[in-house]
Amino acid sequence: MKRIASAAVVRRSPVFITLEGVSMSLQHHSTSPHRDRSRPSRWMSSLLLLVGFAWLALSGSASATEIGTRKEIVVKSLNPAPGVIQTFVSLYAPLPASVGAHPEACDWITYMRYRDAKGPSASSDADIVYTAQPGLRSGAMAYDTLARQVVQKAAAAGKHAEFWTTPRRTVCLVDRTGLDAAAAQRDYHVAVDYYYKGKIIDGKKFAGFLSGSQIGFLKYIDAVQIIKDWHFIMTEGLPDPKVRASKLICGGHSMGALITGMFIGWDFDGNPATNDDAGYKNCRAYFAHDSMVSTDPAALEQKPILGGIVGAIGNMLNTSAGAVLVDSELMPALNTGVVLTPETWFIYSIIGMAAYFEPDAESDLLRQLPHNLNLDITLKVFLSNTYLQFVTGIPDVRSFRYTNAALLGALLDNNTQVISLMGAGLGSFGGGPVAEKTFPIPSQIGDLPLVGPLLGPLLGTTTRKVGPINPFVLTTWRGYQQIPGRTWYGTNYTSPDDERVDFHDYARTMFEGPATHADAYISMGMILDVLYLVGPQHGKFENLRYRDAATLRPRTVMIAEKSMVNAGFKLSDPLLSILNPDNPIGLDDAVTFPGYNHLDMTGASPIQNDGQPERVSTHLVQFGIANTSH
């Protein structure tokens, strides 16, 4: 697995291919019997040909790939977006030799590029280029639905736009072999067989879900490396700094927007005397989806005593937690043992595939999956209705009958998923009876006087959580545009205004390659580096120099009404406004989207239940045009 140090460099041109293959032309030598004797003899030609092939073989090795080599693959989507060309871009940017052993795939940075089919092929010639960092657990495909709409709506407004969804380098560890083979056969059982039953596909056997020392090198893929990778993508795609400064709109969803805050404040050459290389100078404007873009939200840099104390504490926490979890290789990637594990994200991809290809068929996935600690507890956490059911296992959550679409809804819908940041408005249950959940947090908490309005949003109980109660009746799923279901006792737990996402197309994004929807190996170093928000100024944060960067460019903050992020901001904004009256986190000018959940911000369908176009993408297009047209 260790990358061989590069000794010789061979310059190469960008490669542009399609998934259907690569065409290659070779110049053939004459085979005429009347050979020109002025040419080299046959044996000499053969010798030269062998030498040439040997040189090509050596120059084609990984060790000879030029830094910045670009490969671009046309994506043949199962549901192509009209008027949009979708490509998967790979850039060779090898990790430093000091990183040590790591898969060669991790020496490449990837992103998904969406562009107007009638627009220019060169990014520099586009009118607007959006670049987005996805959320904490997300890969490039998490932005697929919104990216397509942005390109289409910009084209309708007479602008040629591009949208780059830029995941972290850690997606290199995702083994897509089983998913790709299953998608090709339109059978999710193929993926189950590969990941759980030892099936060999194309000579490859699944190595298991990685952890500990197997992925110890992830300690080097922290937030600092991530923003350097993002900068590499920007400068390769838009080489002219003036072009980047005039048309590149930078932002992200959730954690991705926090990464944006770090990026714009970074001094990329480490020289305080120059600022041409400042992160914010790469961006014309910023955006945040259910998050914020701010480098110093409390203006701690302007308060030497308070800022010094808080910053020192932040630096100490980052260093000590990093030493315990990351440097020791105890948890180089987010893995809590149950629920939040790499295996869980793979399961979501398989469920998405089943819901896409066979939405109305009865699922056998819960019975196909093996019993292990993570799966048993995770499924009980997500599917149990009561504490009694969770503790006793009666009735067994695996005994319930779901269609594939209903199983996806049971694990991902905002009215079922107990972790509210993992919920989307996909629709509602049909078929069998459902009742409100009291596990793990009763929805009724939000109804309590005085404290209910405060606790409800923070605990994610602003939406009613329900689940099926009869394991013998087949539970089905109603899409977001269908009349919502009710509990068995006749109460409403959702409404058309709160359902935003087409479950079928969203299911496609969860497994369709070559990019991924979920980043199974979430860097713990990246998570810990979010402590930059409390102002550490030493060690790895020394080059986070431009603490006022968020105020130096136009910014739009888009908030999901139903998200716990909204509740958190409402609580923190008054305090931050006192500490930093000139630069609050942006809620004064934020746009709140009624009925939206955290994942709806990037996954909402093009046409909503009121018959109107999707609003988040519309707002982002209007913001982009307003800040680039001049």
Side-chain angles (χ1 to χ4, degrees):
M1 284 172 56
K2 187 170 183 178
R3 182 177 58 84
I4 302 173
S6 177
V9 172
V10 177
R11 298 199 170 272
R12 295 176 176 273
S13 300
V15 179
F16 192 90
I17 60 179
T18 73
L19 288 178
E20 297 175 339
V22 182
S23 64
M24 179 181 296
S25 64
L26 296 174
Q27 183 177 358
H28 294 276
H29 292 278
S30 172
T31 55
S32 169
H34 304 289
R35 178 169 57 88
D36 185 348
R37 295 185 182 276
S38 66
R39 297 179 180 177
S41 62
R42 185 180 298 275
W43 70 267
M44 181 63 72
S45 298
S46 300
L47 178 61
L48 291 173
L49 190 61
L50 287 173
V51 171
F53 276 128
W55 181 86
L56 285 173
L58 289 174
S59 66
S61 65
S63 62
T65 304
E66 181 187 4
I67 294 175
T69 293
R70 176 188 179 104
K71 298 178 182 179
E72 190 163 7
I73 298 172
V74 177
V75 176
K76 301 297 184 182
S77 175
L78 292 164
N79 183 26
V84 178
I85 295 176
Q86 182 179 347
T87 57
F88 182 68
V89 181
S90 302
L91 302 176
Y92 185 64
L95 291 167
S98 58
V99 169
H102 61 277
E104 289 186 3
C106 298
D107 283 330
W108 293 81
I109 306 169
T110 62
Y111 67 97
M112 196 72 82
R113 179 189 178 201
Y114 303 80
R115 64 181 179 88
D116 183 4
K118 295 182 179 180
S121 59
S123 299
S124 296
D125 295 329
D127 296 310
I128 313 169
V129 179
Y130 299 88
T131 178
Q133 284 279 329
L136 176 66
R137 66 167 188 86
S138 300
M141 288 298 288
Y143 255 111
D144 180 81
T145 304
L146 182 134
R148 293 169 171 221
Q149 294 179 62
V150 166
V151 173
Q152 291 170 328
K153 291 178 179 179
K159 298 292 183 179
H160 300 305
E162 293 200 9
F163 202 110
W164 304 347
T165 65
T166 53
R168 271 71 73 178
R169 191 189 289 250
T170 45
V171 296
C172 65
L173 293 171
V174 176
D175 180 356
R176 289 196 51 90
T177 304
L179 292 174
D180 292 338
Q185 298 183 43
R186 296 175 173 256
D187 183 359
Y188 65 92
H189 296 94
V190 174
V192 174
D193 290 344
Y194 177 76
Y195 295 113
Y196 286 105
K197 299 182 179 181
K199 181 177 180 179
I200 297 175
I201 297 178
D202 294 333
K204 185 174 182 179
K205 185 176 181 179
F206 183 53
F209 302 105
L210 308 176
S211 63
S213 61
Q214 293 175 302
I215 51 175
F217 75 95
L218 288 187
K219 61 187 172 185
Y220 296 101
I221 305 183
D222 55 5
V224 176
Q225 182 62 51
I226 288 166
I227 63 172
K228 289 180 179 178
D229 289 346
W230 200 10
H231 188 247
F232 191 95
I233 289 172
M234 294 178 187
T235 56
E236 191 278 338
L238 299 172
D240 188 341
K242 293 181 180 179
V243 172
R244 294 197 298 276
S246 65
K247 64 179 61 176
L248 186 61
I249 314 294
C250 310
H253 176 236
S254 193
M255 171 66 80
L258 301 184
I259 294 295
T260 305
M262 187 171 180
F263 173 86
I264 61 176
W266 201 257
D267 179 357
F268 278 93
D269 72 354
N271 183 358
T274 64
N275 68 356
D276 289 342
D277 56 293
Y280 70 87
K281 290 203 168 183
N282 293 277
C283 307
R284 176 67 190 96
Y286 320 130
F287 66 90
H289 287 129
D290 213 30
S291 187
M292 66 176 178
V293 176
S294 181
T295 304
D296 187 10
L300 292 172
E301 187 182 34
Q302 300 173 22
K303 305 169 180 62
I305 297 177
L306 178 62
I309 295 173
V310 175
I313 294 173
N315 192 76
M316 180 187 67
L317 289 174
N318 178 273
T319 303
S320 57
V324 172
L325 296 175
V326 182
D327 295 342
S328 69
E329 298 182 348
L330 176 65
M331 194 188 296
L334 178 63
N335 187 342
T336 56
V338 296
V339 183
L340 302 179
T341 70
E343 181 180 29
T344 300
W345 311 131
F346 270 88
I347 294 300
Y348 268 93
S349 297
I350 296 173
I351 293 171
M353 183 183 299
Y356 185 80
F357 288 125
E358 300 180 88
D360 298 323
E362 182 169 353
S363 177
D364 65 351
L365 185 58
L366 294 180
R367 289 172 284 282
Q368 288 287 328
L369 293 174
H371 287 274
N372 62 40
L373 181 65
N374 175 50
L375 289 180
D376 288 343
I377 293 182
T378 299
L379 291 174
K380 289 175 70 174
V381 168
F382 288 163
L383 299 177
S384 292
N385 289 335
T386 66
Y387 276 91
L388 183 63
Q389 183 183 12
F390 177 77
V391 173
T392 66
I394 302 174
D396 184 355
V397 295
R398 296 198 192 210
S399 69
F400 281 75
R401 298 176 60 201
Y402 296 93
T403 63
N404 287 315
L407 181 58
L408 175 66
L411 293 170
L412 191 63
D413 187 73
N414 64 299
N415 293 113
T416 59
Q417 173 53 253
V418 297
I419 302 176
S420 66
L421 293 180
M422 291 173 56
L426 299 172
S428 60
F429 285 119
V434 300
E436 286 198 39
K437 292 185 175 186
T438 57
F439 173 86
I441 303 172
S443 300
Q444 292 78 7
I445 283 182
D447 298 330
L448 295 174
L450 299 179
V451 297
L454 174 64
L455 292 178
L458 287 177
L459 298 177
T461 60
T462 52
T463 55
R464 300 291 183 181
K465 308 296 182 182
V466 299
I469 57 176
N470 189 337
F472 302 106
V473 178
L474 181 64
T475 299
T476 60
W477 192 253
R478 304 181 185 196
Y480 82 107
Q481 292 182 314
Q482 294 178 277
I483 298 174
R486 294 183 173 188
T487 63
W488 71 270
Y489 36 86
T491 60
N492 296 319
Y493 59 87
T494 186
S495 72
D497 292 338
D498 294 332
E499 304 302 330
R500 302 286 177 180
V501 179
D502 176 3
F503 83 85
H504 191 245
D505 196 55
Y506 196 82
R508 172 191 59 82
T509 70
M510 295 174 68
F511 71 89
E512 187 172 63
T516 64
H517 187 283
D519 181 358
Y521 299 96
I522 305 164
S523 166
M524 275 302 297
M526 175 192 70
I527 296 174
L528 295 175
D529 285 351
V530 173
L531 285 165
Y532 83 81
L533 291 169
V534 299
Q537 301 177 7
H538 308 290
K540 68 163 60 179
F541 301 106
E542 182 180 3
N543 289 326
L544 189 56
R545 202 173 312 280
Y546 307 104
R547 299 279 176 169
D548 61 344
T551 66
L552 302 178
R553 296 289 186 268
R555 169 180 55 174
T556 184
V557 176
M558 293 162 274
I559 300 295
E561 180 201 23
K562 298 288 186 178
S563 170
M564 63 190 304
V565 173
N566 187 22
F569 280 171
K570 286 181 178 178
L571 286 176
S572 62
D573 194 45
L575 175 61
L576 292 177
S577 295
I578 294 172
L579 292 172
N580 186 8
D582 298 326
N583 180 26
I585 58 179
L587 287 186
D588 289 347
D589 299 320
V591 181
T592 300
F593 292 85
Y596 276 69
N597 297 279
H598 189 63
L599 297 185
D600 298 348
M601 298 298 287
T602 58
S605 298
I607 300 298
Q608 293 297 294
N609 280 327
D610 59 2
Q612 297 301 308
E614 197 281 320
R615 292 174 174 81
V616 175
S617 55
T618 299
H619 174 77
L620 190 56
V621 169
Q622 293 171 344
F623 176 77
I625 292 175
N627 286 286
T628 57
S629 295
H630 69 280

